[in-house]
Amino acid sequence: MSSSRSPRAAWAALRRWPRRRWIAVAAVTPSAIVVLGVPTALVPTPLFSRSVPPVWWNYPVLLLTALLTAVVVATYVRTRPVSSPDDTTGRSLGSAGAVLSFLAVGCPVCNKAALLLLGTSGALSYWAPLQPAVALLSLALLAEAALRRLATETACPAPAAA
C-alpha cells in the first residue's frame, strides 16, 4: 500500500485521469492566474497597480500556483461513485498554499496587514525579503495537497459502478 503522499502513486493517478479532469485543469489554470494575478497587478489591468514593481520570481510563482491549484481543484471532479463522505484530503493545505501565494506575490506595501503592522519602511525592509520564503512555503503546501489528493486516488479506489 502506498503512503498518503507517494509521488509514484500521484503520477499513476495522473496517468489514469479522464479527459474531464484535464479539461478542468485547462479551465482552472487561466482562471487562477486571473484571480491571483489581477489584484496583485502581475496581470496588467487598469483596476490595480503596484507601488513596488514585481520581481522576477513573482511570475514563475504565479504560474506554478495556478497549475498546482488547478490540479488540486481537478481532483474534486468526480470520475466514479463516491465511496466515502470524507473528501477533505489536502483541502486545508491547498487553501493555505493559495492564500500564502497571494501574500507572496503581492506588492509588499500593498499588503494592508504588513503595512499596518510594520509601516511602509518595515514592509519593504522586513516583509519584502520574506516573500520568496513565503512563496516557497505556499508552493510546498500546494504540492503537498496535490500529492495527497492524487496519491489517495490510487490507494483505495472505489469499485466501478455496474
Side-chain angles (χ1 to χ4, degrees):
M1 179 144 164
S2 51
S3 91
S4 66
R5 60 178 308 273
S6 164
R8 180 174 291 162
W11 283 117
L14 279 174
R15 284 194 304 270
R16 287 194 300 272
W17 267 17
R19 179 179 292 148
R20 64 193 296 181
R21 282 200 172 166
W22 291 111
I23 290 170
V25 169
V28 171
T29 300
S31 302
I33 288 173
V34 168
V35 167
L36 183 60
V38 168
T40 59
L42 293 176
V43 174
T45 66
L47 300 173
F48 296 97
S49 64
R50 289 176 73 111
S51 302
V52 177
V55 292
W56 69 268
W57 57 264
N58 289 152
Y59 297 100
V61 169
L62 174 66
L63 181 60
L64 288 171
T65 297
L67 286 170
L68 288 168
T69 299
V71 168
V72 171
V73 168
T75 62
Y76 289 96
V77 173
R78 296 277 180 224
T79 59
R80 59 185 182 256
V82 181
S83 61
S84 88
D86 182 24
D87 197 16
T88 60
T89 304
R91 184 175 292 170
S92 302
L93 294 173
S95 299
V99 169
L100 287 175
S101 292
F102 182 78
L103 295 173
V105 299
C107 169
V109 295
C110 301
N111 179 338
K112 302 301 181 216
L115 203 56
L116 285 171
L117 292 171
L118 304 170
T120 303
S121 63
L124 289 171
S125 299
Y126 300 111
W127 176 244
L130 286 176
Q131 285 181 296
V134 173
L136 289 175
L137 177 61
S138 71
L139 292 173
L141 289 172
L142 283 166
E144 180 68 17
L147 262 177
R148 287 183 183 190
R149 300 266 324 146
L150 290 167
T152 57
E153 286 183 8
T154 58
C156 191

